[in-house]
Amino acid sequence: MKVKFFLAVILTCLFLTACSTENKRSNKIDLSKTKEIYSSVLSPSEDILDVFGDNLLLHNYDTSKNEYLLFNKKECKTIEYNDENRCMVSSASFVNANNAYYISEVVVDNVNNSEKLRIIELNRDGDINTIREINRTEEVSPFIYFAKYDKDSFLLIHRIGSETYIDMFNCKERKFSRFLTLKSTEEKETYLEKVSVNNEKVYVLVFEEGKYYLKVYDKDCRLITTLNLDIPLLKKSAILQFYVVNDLLIFENWNSEQALYIMQNDTFKEIPIGDKRIVSTGFSNVYEKGARYIFLIDRNDMSSEEKPNNKLYALDLETYKIKCNEIVIGDGVPCINSIIYCENGNLVLSIKEDVSSQQIVSYVLDNEFLCGAYK
């Protein structure tokens, strides 16, 4: 009897040890088994904005260049979007709709000592078209933020003097229409701050009399509800980024502080992320419906020579649990340089093969592969 009892204890201990080892095991994504799409000598001012087929949309935001490039990997051919005037990026926001890219820029006219705020279209043939131009004055904000509305349209939010507005641009019909306007008065300070579109609803972050509110509209601009946002992050600094993904609200202020909240009826529950940060570049292109993961990286310096930043975290939008994979290249440990969300839930992951490398190599991790890696 004692022999059976001790045997059962030993087997139980072995089982628990095996489970413990499995829980501590670190999953890995081996980039040597995926397809490299782009490599370049280190350029801290160069970003990949999107990938489609064999083409990459690149942006070099060096102030002396500020150029957009279309690179075809198959043909090793680069097309420059030529602009006769030197310009500056209006904001980091851009949107992809109807097979073209839409961004804003400030154009400097040195002859007439003036500036113009433009919304421009970069199509996939390498052409650049201006779809709106506004004379810049002190009352005209240089910042325009975009949100994808559907595959053929997008929203933009802008402020001129006491008025903020949200316009819709239909890319096929080539015309703007007004979605929403809000005007401040001497008695009441109020303006539209940010906009996000998700699951057939338009979410508008509104500042009013020192407080923030979330107004939710249907796609015909009918108000569904107004919610008070009593969120500490909103009281620290102006909001730089705002996104809604399923039931998740994502905030980032100008101090690079982030906060995540789940909407539960009329209340909000925070998801702590500790020393990690959400990767949000390209969100306006991706999350229309059915998102499964959003991604995080460690907040420490990516170029740290003491510890390579090679962990890619995924927040599961069904369970709201965070999972982790280490990025490796065979037996090598690379350092994550940047991450961009592209169409169809794909990620562009750019890495340095080691912390001292001057070469950036980029890979596409498609949505199906990512879902398998983090299941």
Side-chain angles (χ1 to χ4, degrees):
M1 191 70 177
K2 288 183 178 180
V3 173
K4 289 183 178 180
F5 173 75
F6 284 118
L7 182 59
V9 170
I10 291 170
L11 289 173
T12 301
C13 290
L14 289 172
F15 174 76
L16 291 174
T17 301
C19 288
S20 176
T21 302
E22 178 65 21
N23 287 337
K24 291 180 180 178
R25 181 178 61 84
S26 177
N27 294 324
K28 296 180 179 180
I29 294 176
D30 189 348
L31 296 181
S32 66
K33 299 177 181 179
T34 62
K35 188 178 180 182
E36 175 188 328
I37 58 164
Y38 184 68
S39 62
S40 66
V41 176
L42 179 61
S43 174
S45 63
E46 187 175 83
D47 280 338
I48 296 175
L49 295 186
D50 208 352
V51 177
F52 46 97
D54 292 316
N55 295 292
L56 286 78
L57 178 67
L58 306 174
H59 178 218
N60 187 335
Y61 53 89
D62 185 302
T63 53
S64 64
K65 295 181 179 179
N66 192 49
E67 58 187 355
Y68 293 88
L69 308 169
L70 195 64
F71 175 74
N72 185 289
K73 179 175 175 57
K74 190 174 183 180
E75 299 177 4
C76 292
K77 179 181 177 183
T78 300
I79 299 174
E80 293 187 14
Y81 292 97
N82 293 316
D83 198 338
E84 59 188 17
N85 299 308
R86 179 180 172 184
C87 55
M88 300 170 289
V89 175
S90 164
S91 68
S93 183
F94 70 96
V95 70
N96 174 6
N98 194 36
N99 293 321
Y101 299 88
Y102 298 86
I103 62 171
S104 60
E105 64 179 8
V106 176
V107 180
V108 180
D109 184 345
N110 292 317
V111 175
N112 298 309
N113 195 27
S114 63
E115 293 181 354
K116 293 183 183 296
L117 179 64
R118 283 180 180 172
I119 299 170
I120 60 173
E121 173 190 74
L122 310 175
N123 69 32
R124 292 182 177 182
D125 294 324
D127 298 326
I128 180 169
N129 302 304
T130 299
I131 62 170
R132 174 175 283 181
E133 187 172 84
I134 304 169
N135 290 324
R136 272 277 290 132
T137 66
E138 288 185 2
E139 288 197 332
V140 177
S141 170
F143 301 113
I144 294 178
Y145 296 93
F146 300 94
K148 193 167 184 175
Y149 184 81
D150 57 32
K151 65 184 180 67
D152 296 320
S153 306
F154 63 86
L155 298 176
L156 65 89
I157 188 166
H158 188 222
R159 185 177 183 180
I160 300 179
S162 61
E163 183 177 278
T164 48
Y165 62 87
I166 297 174
D167 276 356
M168 181 190 298
F169 183 70
N170 186 301
C171 306
K172 284 189 172 180
E173 297 178 3
R174 313 296 295 171
K175 67 179 184 180
F176 285 97
S177 59
R178 184 58 48 96
F179 185 85
L180 196 62
T181 304
L182 198 59
K183 189 169 184 177
S184 284
T185 64
E186 291 183 2
E187 294 77 26
K188 186 177 182 180
E189 183 186 13
T190 180
Y191 51 86
L192 308 170
E193 182 80 32
K194 293 289 183 293
V195 61
S196 183
V197 182
N198 187 253
N199 291 340
E200 306 294 323
K201 294 177 183 176
V202 178
Y203 297 83
V204 182
L205 190 62
V206 179
F207 179 85
E208 185 175 305
E209 294 292 284
K211 295 182 179 180
Y212 281 96
Y213 298 89
L214 182 65
K215 291 183 178 288
V216 185
Y217 297 85
D218 66 16
K219 283 202 165 185
D220 295 318
C221 200
R222 290 189 292 258
L223 182 64
I224 299 171
T225 188
T226 299
L227 303 173
N228 179 27
L229 290 173
D230 186 17
I231 293 175
L233 182 75
L234 300 180
K235 301 174 184 178
K236 292 183 176 182
S237 174
I239 296 302
L240 175 63
Q241 304 284 357
F242 166 67
Y243 299 102
V244 179
V245 184
N246 294 354
D247 294 324
L248 191 69
L249 299 180
I250 302 170
F251 301 96
E252 181 175 355
N253 65 20
W254 283 84
N255 295 331
S256 298
E257 298 170 302
Q258 295 180 326
L260 279 67
Y261 285 83
I262 305 172
M263 287 186 288
Q264 297 177 325
N265 298 320
D266 293 342
T267 61
F268 303 94
K269 179 183 177 182
E270 185 173 10
I271 299 179
I273 58 174
D275 58 355
K276 304 173 187 63
R277 67 181 181 90
I278 290 286
V279 177
S280 60
T281 306
F283 257 7
S284 59
N285 287 322
V286 180
Y287 289 111
E288 297 167 354
K289 290 182 180 179
R292 178 62 191 271
Y293 299 107
I294 60 173
F295 294 90
L296 307 90
I297 57 176
D298 288 317
R299 191 172 276 277
N300 64 294
D301 183 5
M302 289 185 183
S303 62
S304 170
E305 296 184 6
E306 297 178 3
K307 185 180 179 183
N309 187 357
N310 75 317
K311 290 184 173 64
L312 183 61
Y313 303 89
L315 174 64
D316 191 317
L317 294 175
E318 293 181 0
T319 65
Y320 294 107
K321 293 181 178 179
I322 295 177
K323 304 174 183 179
C324 177
N325 270 306
E326 286 189 68
I327 305 299
V328 298
I329 304 178
D331 295 328
V333 180
C335 184
I336 296 173
N337 186 73
S338 66
I339 300 170
I340 307 290
Y341 293 93
C342 296
E343 290 182 287
N344 305 317
N346 300 340
L347 281 187
V348 171
L349 178 65
S350 297
I351 56 96
K352 294 189 291 182
E353 293 192 359
D354 58 65
V355 292
S356 60
S357 175
Q358 295 298 301
Q359 190 84 0
I360 292 178
V361 184
S362 301
Y363 301 82
V364 167
L365 306 181
D366 66 45
N367 188 52
E368 184 179 352
F369 173 83
L370 290 166
C371 287
Y374 287 94
K375 66 181 180 180

